[in-house]
mmCIF file of all heavy atoms in Angstrom:
data_model
loop_
_atom_site.group_PDB
_atom_site.id
_atom_site.type_symbol
_atom_site.label_atom_id
_atom_site.label_comp_id
_atom_site.label_asym_id
_atom_site.label_seq_id
_atom_site.Cartn_x
_atom_site.Cartn_y
_atom_site.Cartn_z
ATOM 1 N N SER A 1 -114.513 62.244 -57.455
ATOM 2 C CA SER A 1 -115.802 62.609 -58.071
ATOM 3 C C SER A 1 -116.549 61.422 -58.736
ATOM 4 O O SER A 1 -117.725 61.394 -58.776
ATOM 5 C CB SER A 1 -115.661 63.711 -59.060
ATOM 6 O OG SER A 1 -114.851 63.322 -60.100
ATOM 7 N N GLN A 2 -115.745 60.358 -59.046
ATOM 8 C CA GLN A 2 -116.332 59.241 -59.801
ATOM 9 C C GLN A 2 -116.283 57.857 -58.989
ATOM 10 O O GLN A 2 -117.168 57.158 -58.940
ATOM 11 C CB GLN A 2 -115.712 59.108 -61.176
ATOM 12 C CG GLN A 2 -115.878 60.312 -62.092
ATOM 13 C CD GLN A 2 -115.053 60.240 -63.301
ATOM 14 O OE1 GLN A 2 -114.285 59.401 -63.441
ATOM 15 N NE2 GLN A 2 -115.274 61.184 -64.192
ATOM 16 N N ASN A 3 -115.108 57.646 -58.390
ATOM 17 C CA ASN A 3 -114.745 56.298 -57.946
ATOM 18 C C ASN A 3 -114.701 56.201 -56.384
ATOM 19 O O ASN A 3 -114.527 55.114 -55.932
ATOM 20 C CB ASN A 3 -113.560 55.708 -58.597
ATOM 21 C CG ASN A 3 -113.627 55.493 -60.023
ATOM 22 O OD1 ASN A 3 -114.759 55.312 -60.533
ATOM 23 N ND2 ASN A 3 -112.513 55.638 -60.749
ATOM 24 N N LYS A 4 -114.637 57.386 -55.675
ATOM 25 C CA LYS A 4 -114.290 57.251 -54.259
ATOM 26 C C LYS A 4 -115.177 58.378 -53.553
ATOM 27 O O LYS A 4 -114.621 59.421 -53.279
ATOM 28 C CB LYS A 4 -112.810 57.471 -54.064
ATOM 29 C CG LYS A 4 -112.243 56.908 -52.772
ATOM 30 C CD LYS A 4 -110.694 57.080 -52.673
ATOM 31 C CE LYS A 4 -110.155 56.329 -51.532
ATOM 32 N NZ LYS A 4 -108.656 56.525 -51.470
ATOM 33 N N ASN A 5 -116.413 58.067 -53.316
ATOM 34 C CA ASN A 5 -117.232 58.985 -52.676
ATOM 35 C C ASN A 5 -118.258 58.095 -51.892
ATOM 36 O O ASN A 5 -118.521 57.048 -52.163
ATOM 37 C CB ASN A 5 -117.893 59.968 -53.647
ATOM 38 C CG ASN A 5 -118.561 59.219 -54.730
ATOM 39 O OD1 ASN A 5 -119.610 58.696 -54.621
ATOM 40 N ND2 ASN A 5 -117.889 59.328 -55.906
ATOM 41 N N TRP A 6 -119.010 58.835 -50.909
ATOM 42 C CA TRP A 6 -119.948 58.252 -50.062
ATOM 43 C C TRP A 6 -121.181 57.734 -50.867
ATOM 44 O O TRP A 6 -121.814 56.658 -50.507
ATOM 45 C CB TRP A 6 -120.389 59.061 -48.966
ATOM 46 C CG TRP A 6 -119.251 59.334 -47.924
ATOM 47 C CD1 TRP A 6 -118.515 60.543 -47.667
ATOM 48 C CD2 TRP A 6 -118.711 58.363 -47.026
ATOM 49 N NE1 TRP A 6 -117.599 60.330 -46.759
ATOM 50 C CE2 TRP A 6 -117.666 59.015 -46.277
ATOM 51 C CE3 TRP A 6 -118.985 56.978 -46.748
ATOM 52 C CZ2 TRP A 6 -116.907 58.349 -45.341
ATOM 53 C CZ3 TRP A 6 -118.333 56.389 -45.858
ATOM 54 C CH2 TRP A 6 -117.230 57.088 -45.113
ATOM 55 N N SER A 7 -121.501 58.472 -51.917
ATOM 56 C CA SER A 7 -122.722 57.994 -52.711
ATOM 57 C C SER A 7 -122.490 56.628 -53.352
ATOM 58 O O SER A 7 -123.325 55.788 -53.355
ATOM 59 C CB SER A 7 -122.957 59.122 -53.906
ATOM 60 O OG SER A 7 -123.344 60.254 -53.353
ATOM 61 N N LEU A 8 -121.228 56.447 -53.834
ATOM 62 C CA LEU A 8 -120.837 55.173 -54.429
ATOM 63 C C LEU A 8 -120.928 54.074 -53.373
ATOM 64 O O LEU A 8 -121.353 52.926 -53.602
ATOM 65 C CB LEU A 8 -119.491 55.171 -55.037
ATOM 66 C CG LEU A 8 -118.992 53.988 -55.805
ATOM 67 C CD1 LEU A 8 -119.891 53.555 -56.927
ATOM 68 C CD2 LEU A 8 -117.549 54.073 -56.311
ATOM 69 N N PHE A 9 -120.477 54.386 -52.120
ATOM 70 C CA PHE A 9 -120.438 53.420 -51.079
ATOM 71 C C PHE A 9 -121.918 52.988 -50.713
ATOM 72 O O PHE A 9 -122.150 51.873 -50.391
ATOM 73 C CB PHE A 9 -119.620 53.968 -49.912
ATOM 74 C CG PHE A 9 -118.237 54.119 -50.109
ATOM 75 C CD1 PHE A 9 -117.420 54.850 -49.174
ATOM 76 C CD2 PHE A 9 -117.618 53.573 -51.185
ATOM 77 C CE1 PHE A 9 -116.088 55.001 -49.373
ATOM 78 C CE2 PHE A 9 -116.239 53.822 -51.464
ATOM 79 C CZ PHE A 9 -115.461 54.339 -50.474
ATOM 80 N N CYS A 10 -122.764 54.005 -50.735
ATOM 81 C CA CYS A 10 -124.180 53.716 -50.464
ATOM 82 C C CYS A 10 -124.732 52.724 -51.511
ATOM 83 O O CYS A 10 -125.432 51.886 -51.123
ATOM 84 C CB CYS A 10 -124.985 54.978 -50.385
ATOM 85 S SG CYS A 10 -124.670 56.056 -48.964
ATOM 86 N N PHE A 11 -124.362 53.009 -52.698
ATOM 87 C CA PHE A 11 -124.808 52.142 -53.912
ATOM 88 C C PHE A 11 -124.321 50.695 -53.668
ATOM 89 O O PHE A 11 -125.086 49.797 -53.853
ATOM 90 C CB PHE A 11 -124.361 52.707 -55.215
ATOM 91 C CG PHE A 11 -124.433 51.730 -56.272
ATOM 92 C CD1 PHE A 11 -125.628 51.380 -56.847
ATOM 93 C CD2 PHE A 11 -123.226 51.052 -56.727
ATOM 94 C CE1 PHE A 11 -125.663 50.469 -57.873
ATOM 95 C CE2 PHE A 11 -123.243 50.172 -57.829
ATOM 96 C CZ PHE A 11 -124.487 49.769 -58.369
ATOM 97 N N PHE A 12 -123.060 50.607 -53.196
ATOM 98 C CA PHE A 12 -122.519 49.183 -53.004
ATOM 99 C C PHE A 12 -123.281 48.487 -51.928
ATOM 100 O O PHE A 12 -123.459 47.292 -51.990
ATOM 101 C CB PHE A 12 -121.070 49.307 -52.690
ATOM 102 C CG PHE A 12 -120.182 49.617 -53.959
ATOM 103 C CD1 PHE A 12 -119.058 50.416 -53.789
ATOM 104 C CD2 PHE A 12 -120.452 49.258 -55.163
ATOM 105 C CE1 PHE A 12 -118.237 50.731 -54.879
ATOM 106 C CE2 PHE A 12 -119.680 49.500 -56.293
ATOM 107 C CZ PHE A 12 -118.607 50.264 -56.190
ATOM 108 N N VAL A 13 -123.683 49.225 -50.883
ATOM 109 C CA VAL A 13 -124.481 48.610 -49.768
ATOM 110 C C VAL A 13 -125.782 48.154 -50.360
ATOM 111 O O VAL A 13 -126.313 47.013 -50.105
ATOM 112 C CB VAL A 13 -124.790 49.586 -48.625
ATOM 113 C CG1 VAL A 13 -125.776 49.069 -47.726
ATOM 114 C CG2 VAL A 13 -123.556 49.886 -47.917
ATOM 115 N N PHE A 14 -126.413 48.979 -51.242
ATOM 116 C CA PHE A 14 -127.621 48.625 -51.888
ATOM 117 C C PHE A 14 -127.333 47.395 -52.804
ATOM 118 O O PHE A 14 -128.167 46.396 -52.778
ATOM 119 C CB PHE A 14 -128.149 49.725 -52.786
ATOM 120 C CG PHE A 14 -129.111 49.339 -53.846
ATOM 121 C CD1 PHE A 14 -130.461 49.075 -53.597
ATOM 122 C CD2 PHE A 14 -128.664 49.218 -55.210
ATOM 123 C CE1 PHE A 14 -131.353 48.728 -54.615
ATOM 124 C CE2 PHE A 14 -129.554 48.857 -56.224
ATOM 125 C CZ PHE A 14 -130.856 48.668 -55.929
ATOM 126 N N MET A 15 -126.296 47.237 -53.588
ATOM 127 C CA MET A 15 -126.102 46.298 -54.497
ATOM 128 C C MET A 15 -125.799 44.949 -53.903
ATOM 129 O O MET A 15 -126.262 43.907 -54.334
ATOM 130 C CB MET A 15 -124.925 46.757 -55.425
ATOM 131 C CG MET A 15 -124.904 46.006 -56.831
ATOM 132 S SD MET A 15 -126.260 46.579 -57.793
ATOM 133 C CE MET A 15 -126.488 45.140 -58.888
ATOM 134 N N VAL A 16 -124.960 44.955 -52.849
ATOM 135 C CA VAL A 16 -124.610 43.668 -52.134
ATOM 136 C C VAL A 16 -125.812 43.078 -51.459
ATOM 137 O O VAL A 16 -125.771 41.866 -51.062
ATOM 138 C CB VAL A 16 -123.450 43.939 -51.231
ATOM 139 C CG1 VAL A 16 -123.945 44.409 -49.881
ATOM 140 C CG2 VAL A 16 -122.673 42.636 -51.023
ATOM 141 N N ASN A 17 -126.848 43.776 -51.318
ATOM 142 C CA ASN A 17 -128.100 43.297 -50.674
ATOM 143 C C ASN A 17 -129.199 43.047 -51.629
ATOM 144 O O ASN A 17 -130.349 42.754 -51.232
ATOM 145 C CB ASN A 17 -128.555 44.184 -49.447
ATOM 146 C CG ASN A 17 -127.608 44.110 -48.276
ATOM 147 O OD1 ASN A 17 -127.519 43.063 -47.590
ATOM 148 N ND2 ASN A 17 -126.819 45.176 -48.076
ATOM 149 N N LEU A 18 -128.936 43.237 -52.934
ATOM 150 C CA LEU A 18 -130.030 43.176 -53.917
ATOM 151 C C LEU A 18 -130.379 41.763 -54.220
ATOM 152 O O LEU A 18 -129.471 40.934 -54.482
ATOM 153 C CB LEU A 18 -129.548 43.856 -55.163
ATOM 154 C CG LEU A 18 -130.602 44.027 -56.266
ATOM 155 C CD1 LEU A 18 -131.737 45.016 -55.896
ATOM 156 C CD2 LEU A 18 -129.882 44.629 -57.566
ATOM 157 N N SER A 19 -131.721 41.407 -54.259
ATOM 158 C CA SER A 19 -132.112 40.055 -54.479
ATOM 159 C C SER A 19 -131.890 39.624 -56.010
ATOM 160 O O SER A 19 -131.856 38.473 -56.264
ATOM 161 C CB SER A 19 -133.572 39.884 -54.197
ATOM 162 O OG SER A 19 -134.414 40.736 -54.978
ATOM 163 N N GLU A 20 -131.747 40.656 -56.797
ATOM 164 C CA GLU A 20 -131.547 40.272 -58.277
ATOM 165 C C GLU A 20 -130.180 39.752 -58.648
ATOM 166 O O GLU A 20 -129.942 39.348 -59.794
ATOM 167 C CB GLU A 20 -131.855 41.570 -59.127
ATOM 168 C CG GLU A 20 -133.236 42.042 -58.933
ATOM 169 C CD GLU A 20 -133.445 43.422 -59.713
ATOM 170 O OE1 GLU A 20 -132.818 43.593 -60.735
ATOM 171 O OE2 GLU A 20 -134.228 44.313 -59.202
ATOM 172 N N VAL A 21 -129.232 39.801 -57.737
ATOM 173 C CA VAL A 21 -127.862 39.300 -57.984
ATOM 174 C C VAL A 21 -127.462 38.311 -56.898
ATOM 175 O O VAL A 21 -128.026 38.317 -55.776
ATOM 176 C CB VAL A 21 -126.811 40.534 -58.083
ATOM 177 C CG1 VAL A 21 -127.142 41.505 -59.222
ATOM 178 C CG2 VAL A 21 -126.811 41.174 -56.736
ATOM 179 N N GLU A 22 -126.522 37.517 -57.256
ATOM 180 C CA GLU A 22 -126.002 36.460 -56.292
ATOM 181 C C GLU A 22 -124.809 37.026 -55.462
ATOM 182 O O GLU A 22 -124.265 36.278 -54.550
ATOM 183 C CB GLU A 22 -125.468 35.275 -56.999
ATOM 184 C CG GLU A 22 -126.555 34.444 -57.798
ATOM 185 C CD GLU A 22 -127.560 33.888 -56.856
ATOM 186 O OE1 GLU A 22 -127.176 33.493 -55.662
ATOM 187 O OE2 GLU A 22 -128.736 33.743 -57.189
ATOM 188 N N LEU A 23 -124.508 38.258 -55.620
ATOM 189 C CA LEU A 23 -123.281 38.866 -54.972
ATOM 190 C C LEU A 23 -123.410 38.689 -53.441
ATOM 191 O O LEU A 23 -124.355 39.116 -52.814
ATOM 192 C CB LEU A 23 -123.298 40.368 -55.299
ATOM 193 C CG LEU A 23 -121.987 41.088 -54.890
ATOM 194 C CD1 LEU A 23 -120.816 40.485 -55.632
ATOM 195 C CD2 LEU A 23 -122.132 42.511 -55.305
ATOM 196 N N GLN A 24 -122.275 38.092 -52.875
ATOM 197 C CA GLN A 24 -122.203 37.964 -51.401
ATOM 198 C C GLN A 24 -121.178 38.901 -50.787
ATOM 199 O O GLN A 24 -121.389 39.442 -49.678
ATOM 200 C CB GLN A 24 -121.758 36.504 -51.107
ATOM 201 C CG GLN A 24 -122.730 35.488 -51.657
ATOM 202 C CD GLN A 24 -124.083 35.525 -50.970
ATOM 203 O OE1 GLN A 24 -124.193 35.681 -49.704
ATOM 204 N NE2 GLN A 24 -125.208 35.458 -51.801
ATOM 205 N N THR A 25 -120.019 39.091 -51.406
ATOM 206 C CA THR A 25 -119.095 40.016 -51.006
ATOM 207 C C THR A 25 -118.563 40.881 -52.108
ATOM 208 O O THR A 25 -118.530 40.451 -53.259
ATOM 209 C CB THR A 25 -117.877 39.350 -50.359
ATOM 210 O OG1 THR A 25 -117.138 38.602 -51.341
ATOM 211 C CG2 THR A 25 -118.297 38.494 -49.209
ATOM 212 N N LEU A 26 -118.246 42.195 -51.800
ATOM 213 C CA LEU A 26 -117.787 43.141 -52.708
ATOM 214 C C LEU A 26 -116.636 43.766 -52.126
ATOM 215 O O LEU A 26 -116.768 44.506 -51.130
ATOM 216 C CB LEU A 26 -118.867 44.121 -53.267
ATOM 217 C CG LEU A 26 -118.411 45.197 -54.160
ATOM 218 C CD1 LEU A 26 -117.948 44.625 -55.499
ATOM 219 C CD2 LEU A 26 -119.602 46.241 -54.370
ATOM 220 N N GLN A 27 -115.399 43.785 -52.774
ATOM 221 C CA GLN A 27 -114.258 44.446 -52.328
ATOM 222 C C GLN A 27 -114.011 45.620 -53.343
ATOM 223 O O GLN A 27 -114.047 45.345 -54.530
ATOM 224 C CB GLN A 27 -113.059 43.516 -52.244
ATOM 225 C CG GLN A 27 -113.099 42.549 -51.094
ATOM 226 C CD GLN A 27 -111.766 41.794 -50.987
ATOM 227 O OE1 GLN A 27 -111.135 41.517 -52.066
ATOM 228 N NE2 GLN A 27 -111.315 41.396 -49.859
ATOM 229 N N VAL A 28 -113.594 46.704 -52.759
ATOM 230 C CA VAL A 28 -113.127 47.889 -53.687
ATOM 231 C C VAL A 28 -111.705 48.192 -53.197
ATOM 232 O O VAL A 28 -111.551 48.488 -51.978
ATOM 233 C CB VAL A 28 -114.078 49.041 -53.593
ATOM 234 C CG1 VAL A 28 -113.659 50.046 -54.499
ATOM 235 C CG2 VAL A 28 -115.507 48.612 -53.785
ATOM 236 N N LYS A 29 -110.770 48.155 -54.127
ATOM 237 C CA LYS A 29 -109.402 48.461 -53.825
ATOM 238 C C LYS A 29 -108.899 49.648 -54.673
ATOM 239 O O LYS A 29 -109.329 49.751 -55.855
ATOM 240 C CB LYS A 29 -108.526 47.335 -53.944
ATOM 241 C CG LYS A 29 -108.869 45.998 -53.131
ATOM 242 C CD LYS A 29 -107.965 44.876 -53.297
ATOM 243 C CE LYS A 29 -108.312 43.662 -52.490
ATOM 244 N NZ LYS A 29 -107.408 42.501 -52.643
ATOM 245 N N TYR A 30 -108.077 50.469 -54.035
ATOM 246 C CA TYR A 30 -107.756 51.747 -54.718
ATOM 247 C C TYR A 30 -106.210 51.829 -55.011
ATOM 248 O O TYR A 30 -105.427 51.522 -54.036
ATOM 249 C CB TYR A 30 -108.191 52.918 -53.929
ATOM 250 C CG TYR A 30 -109.635 53.122 -53.917
ATOM 251 C CD1 TYR A 30 -110.414 52.647 -52.755
ATOM 252 C CD2 TYR A 30 -110.315 53.726 -54.936
ATOM 253 C CE1 TYR A 30 -111.769 52.763 -52.754
ATOM 254 C CE2 TYR A 30 -111.707 53.909 -54.860
ATOM 255 C CZ TYR A 30 -112.435 53.411 -53.816
ATOM 256 O OH TYR A 30 -113.794 53.523 -53.801
ATOM 257 N N PHE A 31 -105.829 52.235 -56.121
ATOM 258 C CA PHE A 31 -104.447 52.520 -56.391
ATOM 259 C C PHE A 31 -104.073 53.847 -55.808
ATOM 260 O O PHE A 31 -104.973 54.723 -55.457
ATOM 261 C CB PHE A 31 -104.084 52.619 -57.908
ATOM 262 C CG PHE A 31 -104.218 51.382 -58.662
ATOM 263 C CD1 PHE A 31 -105.305 50.963 -59.415
ATOM 264 C CD2 PHE A 31 -103.135 50.468 -58.601
ATOM 265 C CE1 PHE A 31 -105.339 49.787 -60.009
ATOM 266 C CE2 PHE A 31 -103.199 49.311 -59.277
ATOM 267 C CZ PHE A 31 -104.303 48.951 -60.046
ATOM 268 N N GLU A 32 -102.784 54.067 -55.479
ATOM 269 C CA GLU A 32 -102.301 55.282 -55.083
ATOM 270 C C GLU A 32 -102.295 56.388 -56.357
ATOM 271 O O GLU A 32 -101.961 55.925 -57.396
ATOM 272 C CB GLU A 32 -100.810 55.213 -54.545
ATOM 273 C CG GLU A 32 -100.292 56.562 -54.095
ATOM 274 C CD GLU A 32 -100.817 57.119 -52.783
ATOM 275 O OE1 GLU A 32 -101.820 56.587 -52.309
ATOM 276 O OE2 GLU A 32 -100.361 58.210 -52.409
ATOM 277 N N ALA A 33 -102.740 57.571 -56.031
ATOM 278 C CA ALA A 33 -102.871 58.496 -57.077
ATOM 279 C C ALA A 33 -101.579 58.741 -57.870
ATOM 280 O O ALA A 33 -100.484 58.762 -57.203
ATOM 281 C CB ALA A 33 -103.308 59.833 -56.573
ATOM 282 N N GLY A 34 -101.586 58.697 -59.196
ATOM 283 C CA GLY A 34 -100.418 58.879 -60.027
ATOM 284 C C GLY A 34 -99.714 57.671 -60.354
ATOM 285 O O GLY A 34 -98.833 57.576 -61.222
ATOM 286 N N HIS A 35 -100.251 56.471 -59.834
ATOM 287 C CA HIS A 35 -99.642 55.154 -60.086
ATOM 288 C C HIS A 35 -100.717 54.160 -60.344
ATOM 289 O O HIS A 35 -100.815 53.177 -59.651
ATOM 290 C CB HIS A 35 -98.757 54.675 -59.015
ATOM 291 C CG HIS A 35 -97.623 55.642 -58.704
ATOM 292 N ND1 HIS A 35 -96.371 55.557 -59.294
ATOM 293 C CD2 HIS A 35 -97.579 56.838 -57.970
ATOM 294 C CE1 HIS A 35 -95.609 56.534 -58.947
ATOM 295 N NE2 HIS A 35 -96.286 57.285 -58.134
ATOM 296 N N THR A 36 -101.690 54.468 -61.317
ATOM 297 C CA THR A 36 -102.919 53.717 -61.454
ATOM 298 C C THR A 36 -103.026 52.873 -62.663
ATOM 299 O O THR A 36 -104.044 52.428 -63.108
ATOM 300 C CB THR A 36 -104.060 54.669 -61.417
ATOM 301 O OG1 THR A 36 -103.918 55.554 -62.562
ATOM 302 C CG2 THR A 36 -104.148 55.513 -60.122
ATOM 303 N N PHE A 37 -101.842 52.575 -63.309
ATOM 304 C CA PHE A 37 -101.852 51.658 -64.477
ATOM 305 C C PHE A 37 -102.461 50.359 -64.164
ATOM 306 O O PHE A 37 -102.172 49.660 -63.241
ATOM 307 C CB PHE A 37 -100.475 51.542 -65.088
ATOM 308 C CG PHE A 37 -100.494 50.832 -66.416
ATOM 309 C CD1 PHE A 37 -100.824 51.387 -67.521
ATOM 310 C CD2 PHE A 37 -100.225 49.444 -66.476
ATOM 311 C CE1 PHE A 37 -100.862 50.797 -68.866
ATOM 312 C CE2 PHE A 37 -100.233 48.773 -67.686
ATOM 313 C CZ PHE A 37 -100.601 49.508 -68.806
ATOM 314 N N MET A 38 -103.505 49.944 -65.014
ATOM 315 C CA MET A 38 -104.199 48.715 -64.744
ATOM 316 C C MET A 38 -104.721 48.111 -66.016
ATOM 317 O O MET A 38 -104.502 48.673 -67.101
ATOM 318 C CB MET A 38 -105.406 48.971 -63.771
ATOM 319 C CG MET A 38 -106.318 50.171 -64.204
ATOM 320 S SD MET A 38 -107.620 50.359 -62.983
ATOM 321 C CE MET A 38 -107.836 52.151 -63.125
ATOM 322 N N ALA A 39 -105.399 46.960 -65.889
ATOM 323 C CA ALA A 39 -105.829 46.224 -67.118
ATOM 324 C C ALA A 39 -106.833 47.076 -68.032
ATOM 325 O O ALA A 39 -106.754 47.011 -69.201
ATOM 326 C CB ALA A 39 -106.504 44.990 -66.727
ATOM 327 N N ALA A 40 -107.641 47.856 -67.291
ATOM 328 C CA ALA A 40 -108.508 48.776 -68.117
ATOM 329 C C ALA A 40 -107.776 49.756 -68.960
ATOM 330 O O ALA A 40 -108.228 50.081 -70.064
ATOM 331 C CB ALA A 40 -109.447 49.614 -67.120
ATOM 332 N N ASP A 41 -106.604 50.191 -68.674
ATOM 333 C CA ASP A 41 -105.717 50.988 -69.511
ATOM 334 C C ASP A 41 -105.342 50.381 -70.728
ATOM 335 O O ASP A 41 -105.328 50.925 -71.820
ATOM 336 C CB ASP A 41 -104.564 51.607 -68.703
ATOM 337 C CG ASP A 41 -104.968 52.581 -67.541
ATOM 338 O OD1 ASP A 41 -105.840 53.338 -67.756
ATOM 339 O OD2 ASP A 41 -104.454 52.336 -66.380
ATOM 340 N N SER A 42 -104.927 49.068 -70.610
ATOM 341 C CA SER A 42 -104.575 48.341 -71.813
ATOM 342 C C SER A 42 -105.711 48.156 -72.693
ATOM 343 O O SER A 42 -105.507 48.202 -73.925
ATOM 344 C CB SER A 42 -104.008 46.941 -71.274
ATOM 345 O OG SER A 42 -102.856 47.000 -70.470
ATOM 346 N N PHE A 43 -106.848 47.895 -72.109
ATOM 347 C CA PHE A 43 -108.077 47.851 -73.011
ATOM 348 C C PHE A 43 -108.340 49.166 -73.705
ATOM 349 O O PHE A 43 -108.717 49.172 -74.889
ATOM 350 C CB PHE A 43 -109.323 47.346 -72.184
ATOM 351 C CG PHE A 43 -110.608 47.254 -73.017
ATOM 352 C CD1 PHE A 43 -110.716 46.469 -74.065
ATOM 353 C CD2 PHE A 43 -111.624 48.193 -72.701
ATOM 354 C CE1 PHE A 43 -111.903 46.436 -74.825
ATOM 355 C CE2 PHE A 43 -112.817 48.139 -73.421
ATOM 356 C CZ PHE A 43 -112.879 47.287 -74.509
ATOM 357 N N HIS A 44 -108.209 50.264 -72.991
ATOM 358 C CA HIS A 44 -108.481 51.529 -73.595
ATOM 359 C C HIS A 44 -107.481 51.810 -74.788
ATOM 360 O O HIS A 44 -107.749 52.395 -75.743
ATOM 361 C CB HIS A 44 -108.350 52.639 -72.584
ATOM 362 C CG HIS A 44 -109.398 52.626 -71.563
ATOM 363 N ND1 HIS A 44 -109.453 53.304 -70.361
ATOM 364 C CD2 HIS A 44 -110.614 51.981 -71.624
ATOM 365 C CE1 HIS A 44 -110.511 53.123 -69.713
ATOM 366 N NE2 HIS A 44 -111.278 52.302 -70.419
ATOM 367 N N HIS A 45 -106.243 51.301 -74.617
ATOM 368 C CA HIS A 45 -105.254 51.410 -75.701
ATOM 369 C C HIS A 45 -105.729 50.649 -76.958
ATOM 370 O O HIS A 45 -105.513 51.056 -77.997
ATOM 371 C CB HIS A 45 -103.908 50.919 -75.176
ATOM 372 C CG HIS A 45 -102.850 50.892 -76.224
ATOM 373 N ND1 HIS A 45 -102.298 52.048 -76.791
ATOM 374 C CD2 HIS A 45 -102.144 49.784 -76.794
ATOM 375 C CE1 HIS A 45 -101.342 51.757 -77.787
ATOM 376 N NE2 HIS A 45 -101.265 50.422 -77.700
ATOM 377 N N GLN A 46 -106.298 49.447 -76.691
ATOM 378 C CA GLN A 46 -106.815 48.625 -77.728
ATOM 379 C C GLN A 46 -107.996 49.312 -78.410
ATOM 380 O O GLN A 46 -108.177 49.289 -79.722
ATOM 381 C CB GLN A 46 -107.204 47.232 -77.291
ATOM 382 C CG GLN A 46 -106.145 46.393 -76.670
ATOM 383 C CD GLN A 46 -105.003 46.130 -77.767
ATOM 384 O OE1 GLN A 46 -105.306 45.824 -78.958
ATOM 385 N NE2 GLN A 46 -103.770 46.229 -77.308
ATOM 386 N N VAL A 47 -108.831 49.992 -77.646
ATOM 387 C CA VAL A 47 -109.916 50.804 -78.241
ATOM 388 C C VAL A 47 -109.367 51.905 -79.099
ATOM 389 O O VAL A 47 -109.897 52.118 -80.234
ATOM 390 C CB VAL A 47 -110.892 51.317 -77.133
ATOM 391 C CG1 VAL A 47 -111.907 52.295 -77.736
ATOM 392 C CG2 VAL A 47 -111.607 50.196 -76.376
ATOM 393 N N GLU A 48 -108.407 52.609 -78.636
ATOM 394 C CA GLU A 48 -107.706 53.665 -79.341
ATOM 395 C C GLU A 48 -107.242 53.113 -80.742
ATOM 396 O O GLU A 48 -107.361 53.807 -81.737
ATOM 397 C CB GLU A 48 -106.669 54.299 -78.631
ATOM 398 C CG GLU A 48 -106.026 55.575 -79.300
ATOM 399 C CD GLU A 48 -106.923 56.624 -79.529
ATOM 400 O OE1 GLU A 48 -107.983 56.837 -78.789
ATOM 401 O OE2 GLU A 48 -106.763 57.387 -80.556
#
């Protein structure tokens, strides 16, 4: 509902072709469900 849907993919097509940014390539990689520990989680722990 948030990170893996066609609406988001359409947005990425828009963004990678936007003249307001220098973006040339955009990769999106996904963790397997249930095993998603990442740097953002560590930051969220610091926020808490």
Side-chain angles (χ1 to χ4, degrees):
S1 62
Q2 297 172 354
N3 296 330
K4 205 174 189 184
N5 54 72
W6 292 110
S7 295
L8 182 62
F9 293 167
C10 291
F11 163 75
F12 286 146
V13 170
F14 160 80
M15 201 69 205
V16 82
N17 289 289
L18 187 65
S19 60
E20 298 174 34
V21 298
E22 296 292 330
L23 190 61
Q24 300 296 312
T25 64
L26 176 64
Q27 287 184 331
V28 186
K29 299 180 181 180
Y30 293 97
F31 289 101
E32 178 70 0
H35 301 267
T36 61
F37 185 78
M38 51 182 146
D41 294 313
S42 296
F43 175 65
H44 291 165
H45 177 64
Q46 295 301 317
V47 171
E48 182 62 29

